[in-house]
Amino acid sequence: MSNPEVLALHDDSQQTFSVGLADGLTGLLQYQWRASPSGRARVMQLMHTFVPQQLRGQGQGSVLMEAVLTEVAAMGVLVEPVCGYTKTYLLRHAPRWGHLVAM
């Protein structure tokens, strides 16, 4: 379930989302746009996630993904998970987020 107090700040010029995590630290997700055929939804390739070392294994990656995917859904784009973490996360949470995955 998403936490409405956790927001993903989107920087399209840098192709990143930043999310405030525990202890005042920040997680990042880097993406790039995939070319799509005319008339189709844009596809955001999820390239890399970063959670500070001291927060790993504490569920903060899930906080990052929930905030980013909430923002992506509001943007009306699809995603293509490239990094291992995003692939695993989207598989585990397919009932909630599977509709965002580009075919």
Side-chain angles (χ1 to χ4, degrees):
M1 195 104 186
S2 66
N3 181 344
E5 297 160 9
V6 177
L7 300 175
L9 301 175
H10 181 216
D11 183 342
D12 195 39
S13 67
Q14 295 296 311
Q15 296 187 337
T16 61
F17 290 94
S18 59
V19 176
L21 302 175
D23 298 333
L25 299 173
T26 301
L28 297 172
L29 184 140
Q30 296 173 325
Y31 70 88
Q32 65 185 28
W33 290 109
R34 181 179 85 188
S36 61
S38 180
R40 296 203 129 158
R42 292 178 79 187
V43 176
M44 182 180 283
Q45 293 178 305
L46 307 179
M47 304 302 292
H48 177 70
T49 57
F50 171 79
V51 170
Q53 182 69 37
Q54 59 268 47
L55 297 180
R56 293 180 189 167
Q58 299 177 28
Q60 295 298 293
S62 290
V63 172
L64 171 73
M65 289 298 296
E66 287 291 316
V68 169
L69 293 172
T70 298
E71 179 66 20
V72 167
M75 294 169 65
V77 299
L78 298 175
V79 298
E80 177 186 340
V82 176
C83 86
Y85 183 80
T86 61
K87 286 179 183 179
T88 300
Y89 190 88
L90 285 163
L91 280 173
R92 285 186 182 153
H93 299 278
R96 178 169 167 85
W97 298 114
H99 67 284
L100 294 178
V101 179
M103 297 294 170

